[in-house]
Amino acid sequence: MSLYALSKLLYTLNRDPAAKAQFKSDPGALADRFALLPEERAAILDHDIGKLYVLGVNGQILMHFAALCGIEWSDYLQRMRDGVKVYGPVRAGIYAMTTGVDEKVAGA
Amino acid sequence: MSLVFTGICSHAPGITGREERAPKELRDGLYAAFGEMRDALHAARPDALIVLAAEHFGNFFMNNMPAYAVGMGESYTGPIEDADWLRIPEREVRGSTELSKRLITEMLQSVDVAYCEEWQFDHGIMVPLHFLDPGNELTIIPANINCQGPPLTPLHRAWAFGEAIRRAADSVPERIALVATGGISHWPATPDSGRINEAWDREFLDHWLANDRAALLRYTDSETYADAGQGGFEIRTFIAAAAAAGGAGRLRYYEPIPIFAVGCTVAEMEIA
């Protein structure tokens, strides 16, 4: 797993307007700048919030990627929960889910 | 001259970005408490305000992560997030390289801080400034403790950083204010966003208000992670504020507001 590279992509995307523009015009080329595994690359290109969450991306950068993709807050929370349901528990990092896959805490 | 004001407050982006989704009486109470703190802060006539935050990968990342950082720019910008998402307009904030240099020089006597001539403020600083300096009048010096990317600095070092801030503030002729921002228990930006351990928060706040150093430093990261979530690691900024002020605290507001993802807190501390 290259969680660091994946996170670096999202960090770059969050703070760099040129990277944002490239993400819109040529997302594959943006992804090529980072040493991603196929699964990570696909998750970025598919806007797969649930997969990115399960891969261990820190929510503080993931939530901005979701907003950039036009995903509203409650939908963002649900997509993470759905990701755990489909792909299993969070594999790395400190943003693991502590509640059940069918619970709703807030924001629903 | 000296440290003239110390406060702590929450900085959750939902406080502004999702404000209409909170129960009105809770939002209004929180906003009123921010207003009271703003008045107290400005009444202290600070020449500069140090905002001690726990930022979220706006500037600092695992390629080069400082445990402690202090701004040394002539100006700063924010928010780094989408202004419409945060609902805080972009602003340029005045800094003071010269004052920062004097403060940092003194801090370095005891804590190895990184210095930064560039800094784009994220919600950790912009949400507090939105309420505490709506007119963009103050000279701001940002400071940061890494509370996001482990390994994290131990709590006793956060205390030492607070002491260094105090010593630095007391060493310059300017009047320095300090506002530390962060959350107590919370699980922000996870599916558990909105989970809040109110009992844990209130116990922590009791220790903070009493400025009980031993009790504040007794928390371990594994306990905090289990009881207060990864967001609980941000107690470091509140602990540093207690070390800087040295007196007793006064709580203006604490209420769990789940849609804001945190037990919303506004408090001040006597300078002793």
Side-chain angles (χ1 to χ4, degrees), chain B residues 42-214:
Chain B
H42 287 264
R45 295 180 290 108
D47 295 309
L49 167 63
I50 298 173
V51 183
L52 173 56
E55 76 125 50
H56 319 80
F57 308 119
N59 304 269
F60 308 117
F61 191 66
M62 278 68 79
N63 60 341
N64 189 358
M65 178 64 84
Y68 300 98
V70 179
M72 205 168 76
E74 282 297 340
S75 66
Y76 308 97
T77 56
I80 191 168
E81 297 97 339
D82 180 54
D84 294 332
W85 179 83
L86 192 58
R87 298 193 202 161
I88 295 179
E90 290 179 23
R91 64 162 84 168
E92 182 172 326
V93 174
R94 183 177 66 246
S96 170
T97 300
E98 190 275 326
L99 174 58
S100 284
K101 277 184 180 169
R102 283 185 281 126
L103 292 169
I104 291 165
T105 299
E106 179 57 40
M107 290 176 195
L108 284 168
Q109 290 293 333
S110 57
V111 178
D112 298 318
V113 302
Y115 61 79
C116 312
E117 295 206 35
E118 294 181 39
W119 196 313
Q120 297 182 71
F121 295 167
D122 78 359
H123 63 267
I125 291 181
M126 289 307 296
V127 169
L129 286 186
H130 174 74
F131 291 102
L132 300 177
D133 188 22
N136 203 17
E137 297 162 10
L138 299 175
T139 296
I140 303 297
I141 297 175
N144 195 70
I145 302 176
N146 169 29
C147 302
Q148 278 295 335
L152 304 179
T153 187
L155 300 187
H156 69 90
R157 294 296 296 160
W159 183 275
F161 184 46
E163 290 178 327
I165 291 172
R166 172 62 180 272
R167 215 180 49 249
D170 288 351
S171 75
V172 297
E174 288 85 352
R175 301 170 62 85
I176 306 295
L178 171 66
V179 171
T181 87
I184 319 177
S185 73
H186 61 314
W187 287 256
T190 73
D192 308 324
S193 176
R195 183 182 169 196
I196 294 162
N197 186 343
E198 180 174 351
W200 196 91
D201 286 357
R202 291 196 181 276
E203 185 179 77
F204 176 85
L205 282 173
D206 283 346
H207 297 325
W208 190 86
L209 293 165
N211 207 330
D212 185 340
R213 178 181 185 274

Side-chain angles (χ1 to χ4, degrees), chain A residues 4 7-8 11 15 53 58-61 64 67 72-74 76-77 80-81 94-95 97-99 105-107, chain B residues 18 21 56-59 61-63 80-81 85 120 148 188-195 225 230 258-259:
Chain A
Y4 176 76
S7 303
K8 183 79 185 284
Y11 161 77
R15 69 194 313 275
Y53 175 63
N58 186 300
Q60 296 291 346
I61 41 181
H64 298 304
E72 184 275 332
W73 182 250
S74 297
Y76 162 67
L77 300 181
M80 287 189 287
R81 207 171 283 285
I94 59 169
Y95 273 65
M97 191 168 83
T98 61
T99 52
V105 179
Chain B
R18 297 187 292 275
R21 293 175 66 178
H56 319 80
F57 308 119
N59 304 269
F61 191 66
M62 278 68 79
N63 60 341
I80 191 168
E81 297 97 339
W85 179 83
Q120 297 182 71
Q148 278 295 335
T190 73
D192 308 324
S193 176
R195 183 182 169 196
Y225 187 65
Q230 75 285 347
I259 192 63

Side-chain angles (χ1 to χ4, degrees), chain A residues 17-89:
Chain A
K20 280 194 182 81
Q22 189 177 30
F23 179 66
K24 286 196 172 142
S25 64
D26 191 352
L30 176 72
D32 286 343
R33 292 163 53 189
F34 299 87
L36 305 180
L37 297 174
E39 182 182 37
E40 297 164 338
R41 182 188 167 86
I44 290 289
L45 299 183
D46 295 345
H47 303 182
D48 189 344
I49 299 299
K51 174 62 75 65
L52 294 168
Y53 175 63
V54 167
L55 289 172
V57 172
N58 186 300
Q60 296 291 346
I61 41 181
L62 186 57
M63 70 174 170
H64 298 304
F65 181 67
L68 183 69
C69 296
I71 296 164
E72 184 275 332
W73 182 250
S74 297
D75 191 17
Y76 162 67
L77 300 181
Q78 188 59 47
R79 284 180 192 225
M80 287 189 287
R81 207 171 283 285
D82 291 345
V84 172
K85 202 183 281 190
V86 174
Y87 304 119

